[in-house]
Amino acid sequence: MAELKDTAARDVEAGIGRLQDEIMALGRLIGGVTDSPLRAALVRLEGNLLNIGMRLDRDCMRLAKEG
């Protein structure tokens, strides 16, 4: 059972890392967008993804503490 939890925790951490990579790529993409409405939408998307990543990270840490 503990092994399954360790595997799940590693999988979630890897997923969070991939999400962070995609957010960084989106940030680079936003830098080249000149259309204002599209740029604003992408900035909002980036912010939402950052919030999701922070929540996942926080929840992961909380679950790890609970054991």
Side-chain angles (χ1 to χ4, degrees):
M1 183 68 139
E3 187 175 316
L4 289 175
K5 286 183 181 181
D6 289 343
T7 301
R10 282 193 304 274
D11 289 347
V12 170
E13 288 174 6
I16 291 171
R18 286 191 301 275
L19 177 60
Q20 290 170 338
D21 291 344
E22 293 300 324
I23 292 168
M24 288 174 42
L26 179 59
R28 289 189 297 273
L29 173 77
I30 291 170
V33 174
T34 57
D35 181 47
S36 293
L38 177 58
R39 185 180 180 97
L42 290 172
V43 167
R44 284 192 305 274
L45 175 61
E46 181 184 34
N48 289 337
L49 291 173
L50 284 169
N51 285 334
I52 290 168
M54 288 187 296
R55 287 180 190 159
L56 284 171
D57 194 39
R58 182 192 64 219
D59 290 347
C60 230
M61 292 171 65
R62 180 180 51 83
L63 289 171
K65 286 181 184 177
E66 290 176 1

